[in-house]
């Protein structure tokens, strides 16, 4: 480099070695590299800011008063004694919240007869009735948490008890106690999809029909960070610090319920210690603290305790299903029929009906050629905590229903279970493939992926391992769990790129990280597209004041939606940069190329990096005409990707059962997945690990139990088992990636896939181990007692699955 050149001109003529060094620095963090999560050092040092870490001067503290009855008429709420207690600032009941809107269910479904689904009014606090244990009836605000707790215990609620109903199927029976007088049979929605006559005809002509009753068991979400909220009101504007899955959506919901313009609400979300779908919703406590902050003129904070979260958070899953699969003589699938009772709990959460209806429709087909699908679901109110989305929200369960039916059908027809799957898998030459659910798959290589997974798991060696287990008195089983998920549909998303005066770059987008590690892969994409040093990029997602729009996170869509927006925004930065660089480099715009982070005059070594160009724009070193762009900053709203994506995989679990105790041990776990182009393999592996462990937890140990009066018997970690490190083996992971054609990065969602693979493979593995003893099916969770009991009831030996 000529050191006698002006500094600006030297920057335009980087030596080849300098350019190569810059390129290597960018490639180290390029798409496809396993870059560690950038936020982890901060979190490991305890420097994260979760909702409870936020505090404001003069804040007061809220405690909720919850119903101890599952069902009953509120005759009176006596707050007189509590109001006089030291430190109490206010006590609020439903009467104080008159004028606010309801917590809404946004699902637009209609009943099979075309009538609208029933959506009973739900205010923030119970007014005339309580409908589940934990139903909030009052909110106490005091100077300290302890003072608020004391006063909450002094609030007396007179409730006339009513009979409770805790099972969806029981609640739909004639004569069952009604939660709402205007909801006959407790049925919020009588959902139907499919051509019933065509499906009936397919079953009538089938050579074989498999029928199976299944339970998709209820789970308590148990996010590591309990829900919390801190509200402030100042100058006619509300601010809410809250864990969420998207601040723009939360702001819109709050504004609608409060009856104010969205500009009068600001939502701030810091780090989020897990959500899995649950924290996306509005909850009663948020309205209570917002109301209290305005009424008292000071900030009000509420933080749940674990005992409260067990009964106040939405729960997940909870479907009672009859699955039917019609097959031709050669094993070809003719039709699948699902009849479902989907428990809604006592209220409709915003997305409550989705998992048991449309998401089963979209996902029950999986990777198989199934010409006809019929799904009939009754979404039913019960005297239990409301049901909301939980990691997959109908996707894992749709796959689970099909995979269990395939194993049963294979055993009944005497066909190898792997061969039956292969016979029905959609082939590469079939793509694009329009399914019976009207979804079109764009990519995949399902048979090859399944074969690779079976080899990775050493499926051929399973028979010898089974014999070895038998010598030790143990039962060994191998389970195959294929899955294909339909991710969230396209929607608008923001990507704003701002080049700051200090040499850093801020990326703003409307998805939200609640543990997935967005900052790193998003920065990898932006770094690769613009040549910006990875360490210079910071991510903003959690402040609604900085978002013009935002779709939030959910449905394994974040990288497809934000990634598409980032790619499009980067193209706009390049477009602006070429025009600016043409003035700086004194060349025509048409002569400016962009490559590896540099604007180059074509055919010359005259160039300037995007970062240097941004620096000059900030320090006045670039003299531009008035009609030229004055910065590289871009705020772009993308219309979204071209469609959903279809992550898929084959998971193979191997278990050993002790027949004397019923204890199940997961010995081996291998999986091959197609997530399209993988931006960060390390983060994808972490997402898989977490999802698989959650699936294992639901399959083997997590059990939500209500008694006949609607009391939650598993209301703490003393009663509710959660998977630990000792419960899972090391995972063997591999990729069989086929790029998606629906988004510019070719990526597919991965966040929910682990659950789908684990539920199917682990459940199938345990039943495979028990099959030689005549056990055909068990419902999750496969606790030691349930397994031991099933073995005792089965008695002798029976025909089992193929052990291939």
């Amino acid at each position: 480099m000529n050191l006698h050149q002006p500094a600006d001109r030297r920057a335009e003529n980087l030596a080849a070695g300098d350019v190569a060094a810059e390129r290597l620095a960018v490639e180290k963090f390029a798409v496809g590299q396993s870059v560690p999560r950038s936020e982890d050092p901060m979190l490991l040092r305890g420097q994260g800011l979760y909702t409870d870490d936020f505090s404001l001067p003069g804040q007061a503290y809220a405690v909720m008063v919850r119903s101890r009855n599952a069902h009953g008429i509120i005759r009176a709420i006596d707050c007189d004694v509590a109001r006089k207690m030291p430190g109490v600032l206010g006590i609020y009941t439903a009467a104080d919240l008159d004028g606010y809107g309801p917590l809404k269910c946004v699902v637009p479904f209609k009943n099979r007869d075309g009538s609208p689904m029933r959506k009973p009014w739900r205010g923030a606090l119970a007014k005339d009735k309580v409908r589940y244990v934990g139903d909030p009836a009052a909110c106490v605000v005091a100077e300290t948490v302890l003072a608020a707790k004391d006063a909450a215990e002094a609030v007396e609620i007179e409730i006339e008890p009513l009979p409770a109903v805790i099972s969806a199927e029981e609640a739909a029976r004639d004569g069952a106690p009604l939660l709402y007088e205007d909801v006959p049979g407790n049925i919020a929605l009588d959902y139907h999809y499919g051509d019933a006559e065509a499906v009936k005809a397919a079953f009538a002509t089938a050579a074989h029909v498999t029928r199976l009753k299944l339970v998709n068991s209820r789970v308590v979400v148990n996010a590591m960070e309990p829900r919390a909220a801190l509200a402030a009101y100042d100058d006619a504007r509300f601010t809410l610090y809250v864990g969420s899955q998207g601040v723009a959506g939360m702001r819109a919901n709050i504004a609608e319920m409060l009856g104010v313009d969205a500009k009068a609400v600001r939502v701030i979300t810091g780090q989020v210690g897990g959500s899995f779908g649950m924290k996306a919703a509005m909850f009663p406590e948020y309205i209570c603290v917002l109301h209290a902050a305005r009424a008292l003129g000071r900030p009000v904070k509420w933080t749940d305790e674990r005992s409260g979260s067990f009964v106040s958070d939405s729960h997940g899953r909870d479907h009672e299903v009859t699955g039917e699969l019609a097959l031709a003589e050669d094993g070809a699938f003719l039709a699948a029929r699902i009849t479902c009772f989907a428990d809604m709990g006592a209220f409709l959460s915003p997305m409550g009906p989705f998992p048991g209806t449309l998401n089963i429709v979209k996902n029950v087909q999986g990777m198989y050629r199934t010409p006809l699908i019929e799904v009939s679901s009754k979404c039913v109110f019960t005297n239990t905590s409301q049901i909301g989305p939980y990691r997959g929200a109908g996707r894992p369960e749709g796959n689970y229903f099909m995979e269990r039916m395939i194993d049963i059908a294979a055993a009944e027809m005497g066909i190898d279970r792997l061969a039956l799957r292969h016979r029905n898998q959609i082939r590469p030459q079939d793509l694009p493939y329009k399914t019976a659910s009207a979804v079109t798959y764009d990519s995949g290589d399902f048979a090859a992926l399944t074969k690779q997974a079976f080899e990775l798991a050493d499926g051929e060696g399973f028979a010898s391992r089974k014999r070895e287990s038998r010598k030790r008195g143990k039962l060994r089983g191998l389970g195959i769990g294929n899955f294909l998920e339909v991710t969230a549909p396209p929607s608008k998303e923001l990507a704003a790129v701002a080049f700051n005066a200090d040499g850093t770059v801020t990326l703003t987008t409307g998805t939200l990280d609640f543990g997935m590690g967005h900052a790193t892969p998003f920065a990898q994409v932006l770094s690769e597209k613009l040549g910006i040093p990875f360490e210079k990029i910071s991510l903003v997602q959690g402040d609604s004041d900085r978002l013009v729009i935002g779709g939030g996170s959910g449905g394994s869509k974040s990288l497809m939606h934000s990634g598409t927006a980032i790619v499009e925004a980067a193209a706009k930065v390049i477009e602006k940069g070429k025009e600016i660089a043409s003035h700086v480099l004194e060349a025509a715009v048409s002569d400016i190329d962009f490559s590896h982070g540099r604007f180059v005059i074509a055919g010359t070594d005259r160039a300037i990096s995007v970062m240097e160009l941004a620096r000059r724009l900030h320090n006045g070193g670039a003299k531009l005409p008035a009609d030229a762009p004055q910065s590289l900053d871009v705020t772009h709203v993308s219309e979204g990707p071209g469609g959903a994506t279809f992550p898929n995989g084959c998971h193979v679990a191997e278990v050993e059962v002790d027949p004397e105790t019923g204890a199940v041990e997961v010995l081996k776990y291998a999986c091959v997945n197609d997530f399209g182009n993988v931006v960060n393999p390390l983060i994808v592996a972490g997402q898989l690990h977490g999802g698989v462990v959650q699936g294992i937890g639901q399959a083997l140990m997590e059990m939500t139990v209500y008694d006949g009066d609607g009391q939650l018997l598993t209301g703490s970690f003393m009663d509710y088992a959660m998977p630990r490190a000792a419960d899972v083996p090391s995972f063997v992971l591999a990729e069989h990636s086929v790029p998606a054609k629906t988004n510019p990065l070719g990526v597919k969602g991965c966040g929910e896939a682990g659950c789908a693979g684990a539920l199917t493979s682990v459940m199938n593995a345990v039943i495979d181990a028990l099959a030689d003893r005549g056990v055909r099916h068990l419902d999750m969770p496969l606790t030691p007692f349930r397994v031991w009991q099933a073995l005792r009831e089965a008695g002798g030996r029976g025909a089992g699955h193929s052990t291939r």
Side-chain angles (χ1 to χ4, degrees):
M1 182 180 294
N2 182 357
L3 297 181
H4 296 290
Q5 289 180 323
D8 287 348
R9 182 53 58 88
R10 289 202 304 270
E12 296 168 12
N13 293 282
L14 288 171
D18 294 331
V19 173
E22 283 188 357
R23 189 173 302 173
L24 284 172
V26 170
E27 289 175 354
K28 178 182 177 182
F29 299 98
V31 168
Q33 299 300 310
S34 289
V35 181
R37 301 193 332 164
S38 56
E39 68 268 32
D40 283 350
M42 172 192 67
L43 296 177
L44 290 170
R45 289 194 297 264
Q47 296 172 334
L49 275 176
Y50 296 87
T51 304
D52 190 55
D53 293 320
F54 288 101
S55 291
L56 295 173
Q59 68 189 21
Y61 298 86
V63 169
M64 306 303 294
V65 181
R66 303 187 183 280
S67 171
R68 298 174 184 177
N69 295 74
H71 198 196
I73 299 170
I74 299 175
R75 294 303 184 190
I77 301 178
D78 186 351
C79 304
D80 290 344
V81 173
R83 281 198 177 95
K84 297 173 183 177
M85 294 179 69
V88 173
L89 300 171
I91 300 178
Y92 308 100
T93 64
D96 299 295
L97 304 185
D98 275 350
Y100 294 149
L103 282 80
K104 284 188 175 182
C105 171
V106 299
V107 174
F109 296 148
K110 293 185 177 181
N111 293 301
R112 66 169 68 214
D113 64 4
S115 62
M117 67 180 293
R118 295 180 183 271
K119 299 180 179 181
W121 176 279
R122 184 194 183 186
L125 295 173
K127 186 174 184 181
D128 301 316
K129 244 187 171 189
V130 292
R131 292 181 171 88
Y132 70 101
V133 172
D135 202 353
C139 174
V140 177
V141 180
E143 294 284 0
T144 67
V145 174
L146 291 178
K149 282 185 176 182
D150 288 343
E153 291 181 2
V155 174
E156 295 185 2
I157 308 177
E158 182 184 341
I159 295 174
E160 179 184 327
L162 295 172
V165 60
I166 60 168
S167 158
E169 189 169 359
E170 291 175 1
R173 291 175 183 162
D174 291 341
L178 292 180
L179 275 75
Y180 302 92
E181 295 302 321
D182 59 345
V183 182
N186 293 311
I187 298 173
L189 172 66
D190 183 9
Y191 176 89
H192 180 263
Y193 176 90
D195 186 333
E197 290 303 315
V199 170
K200 182 179 178 180
F203 273 88
T205 59
H208 180 82
V209 173
T210 286
R211 290 186 176 87
L212 183 64
K213 291 202 73 172
L214 308 102
V215 172
N216 178 36
S217 55
R218 177 184 285 241
V219 294
V220 179
V221 175
N222 281 315
M224 186 177 292
E225 176 203 17
R227 288 190 299 112
L230 170 60
Y233 183 77
D234 187 47
D235 292 332
R237 194 160 192 252
F238 293 95
T239 300
L240 184 69
Y241 299 81
V242 67
S244 73
Q245 290 187 198
V247 292
M250 185 67 76
R251 172 185 57 194
N253 292 336
I254 290 170
E256 181 180 12
M257 194 166 178
L258 293 179
V260 300
D261 189 276
K263 294 178 181 178
V265 177
R266 182 185 187 187
V267 176
I268 297 174
T269 295
Q271 269 78 41
V272 181
S275 174
F276 315 114
M278 180 263 293
K279 291 176 184 171
M282 275 284 293
F283 282 89
E285 297 87 357
Y286 307 161
I287 294 301
C288 290
V289 294
L290 287 162
H291 172 82
R294 177 163 59 178
L296 297 173
R298 58 191 290 187
V300 178
K301 186 174 189 175
W302 167 80
T303 302
D304 211 352
E305 296 178 345
R306 188 61 64 181
S307 57
S309 70
F310 264 87
V311 297
S312 70
D313 295 346
S314 58
H315 292 173
R317 316 295 194 211
D318 207 345
H319 306 126
E320 301 166 65
V321 167
T322 299
E324 300 171 278
L325 184 64
L327 302 95
E329 189 172 355
D330 64 355
F333 300 165
L334 303 177
R337 184 162 56 198
I338 301 293
T339 306
C340 176
F341 288 94
D343 198 332
M344 295 293 97
F347 298 96
L348 290 176
S349 69
M351 304 296 289
F354 249 108
T357 56
L358 184 59
N359 272 358
I360 291 179
V361 171
K362 288 184 176 181
N363 292 275
V364 72
Q365 172 144 2
M367 56 177 64
Y368 304 107
R369 296 188 301 277
T370 311
L372 295 165
I373 291 173
E374 182 182 7
V375 174
S376 301
S377 294
K378 286 183 168 64
C379 296
V380 186
F381 290 116
T382 64
N383 295 113
T384 62
S385 295
Q386 69 182 20
I387 291 291
Y390 174 77
R391 203 164 191 165
R395 298 173 180 88
E397 32 270 69
N399 284 276
Y400 171 65
F401 302 151
M402 177 62 85
E403 290 295 304
R404 282 299 300 129
M405 290 193 294
I406 292 174
D407 262 24
I408 295 293
E412 291 173 341
M413 298 182 73
I415 301 175
D416 179 272
R417 53 190 166 154
L418 201 62
L420 184 58
R421 286 174 168 84
H422 178 70
R423 193 170 301 174
N424 288 281
Q425 282 174 320
I426 297 164
R427 301 160 298 191
Q429 61 266 33
D430 297 329
L431 298 168
Y433 183 88
K434 187 172 182 179
T435 70
S437 61
V439 172
T440 300
Y441 298 166
D442 68 301
S443 58
D445 191 3
F446 311 127
L449 179 147
T450 304
K451 180 175 182 291
Q452 182 182 346
F454 193 73
E455 292 171 352
L456 186 68
D458 185 22
E460 294 295 344
F462 172 70
S464 64
R465 296 192 295 275
K466 185 179 180 74
R467 288 192 294 271
E468 190 275 330
S469 291
R470 189 180 294 124
K471 290 178 182 178
R472 294 185 286 106
K474 302 294 180 68
L475 306 175
R476 198 177 189 107
L478 182 141
I480 300 164
N482 284 341
F483 76 91
L484 181 146
E485 294 189 307
V486 182
T487 62
S491 62
K492 292 183 178 182
E493 190 50 83
L494 168 72
V497 182
F499 292 81
N500 305 316
D502 63 359
T504 62
V505 176
T506 300
L507 169 64
T508 304
T509 187
T511 53
L512 201 135
D513 181 353
F514 42 92
M516 301 90 85
H518 284 177
T520 299
F522 289 2
Q524 287 178 263
V525 172
L526 188 63
S527 177
E528 181 171 278
K529 294 300 178 184
L530 293 180
I532 299 169
F534 173 87
E535 66 278 4
K536 297 290 187 182
I537 302 171
S538 62
L539 177 65
V540 171
Q541 296 177 301
D543 185 345
S544 65
D545 275 4
R546 300 182 68 172
L547 301 180
V548 296
I549 196 171
S553 294
S556 291
K557 70 178 183 181
S558 292
L559 191 55
M560 284 80 72
H561 289 220
S562 282
T564 296
I566 291 167
V567 169
E568 293 171 357
K572 290 181 175 293
V573 171
I574 293 169
E575 182 182 351
K576 290 180 71 175
K578 284 183 177 181
E579 187 172 351
I580 296 169
S582 72
H583 296 288
V584 173
L585 298 177
E586 300 174 347
V589 174
S590 59
D591 290 334
I592 303 294
D593 294 331
F594 183 80
S595 178
H596 299 291
R598 302 166 72 238
F599 296 96
V600 184
I601 301 176
T604 76
D605 61 357
R606 295 272 319 279
I608 186 168
S609 74
V610 66
M611 296 302 289
E612 173 61 19
L613 191 58
R615 185 186 70 81
R616 290 200 199 179
L617 289 168
H618 274 292
N619 66 17
K623 305 300 182 184
L624 303 175
D627 60 348
Q630 301 300 304
S631 82
L632 292 170
D633 296 354
V634 164
T635 297
H636 171 66
V637 176
S638 170
E639 293 298 316
T645 64
F646 309 97
N648 60 91
C650 178
H651 290 213
V652 182
E654 201 164 315
V655 304
E656 198 171 64
V657 178
D658 183 345
E660 298 302 318
T661 64
V664 176
E665 182 180 1
V666 183
L667 300 174
K668 297 178 63 178
Y669 198 100
C671 62
V672 178
N673 300 279
D674 173 10
F675 297 133
N677 291 329
V678 175
V679 171
N680 189 310
L682 183 65
I683 289 179
V684 167
Q687 286 290 295
L688 269 173
H689 289 179
V692 168
V693 171
Q694 282 183 285
I696 291 173
Q698 183 181 354
L700 298 184
M701 62 193 71
E702 294 189 46
M703 182 185 294
T704 309
V705 181
Y706 285 90
D707 70 11
D709 293 324
Q711 295 292 330
L712 181 63
L713 301 182
T714 51
S716 75
F717 289 140
M718 293 292 289
D719 319 298
Y720 186 95
M722 293 278 283
R724 302 186 180 191
D727 297 314
V728 298
S730 294
F731 304 120
V732 181
L733 313 178
E735 298 171 13
H736 190 101
S737 296
V738 181
K741 298 178 181 179
T742 55
N743 64 83
L745 292 171
V747 297
K748 301 176 182 179
C750 72
E752 298 165 320
C755 268
L759 280 182
T760 55
S761 61
V762 172
M763 291 298 292
N764 281 342
V766 177
I767 302 304
D768 182 56
L770 302 179
D772 289 342
R773 300 285 183 94
V775 178
R776 179 174 180 262
H777 177 73
L778 285 176
D779 283 317
M780 61 180 81
L782 299 178
T783 61
F785 176 74
R786 282 189 176 182
V787 173
W788 178 87
Q789 187 178 46
L791 287 169
R792 294 302 173 273
E793 291 175 354
R797 300 170 64 85
H801 300 142
S802 159
T803 56
R804 176 181 172 184

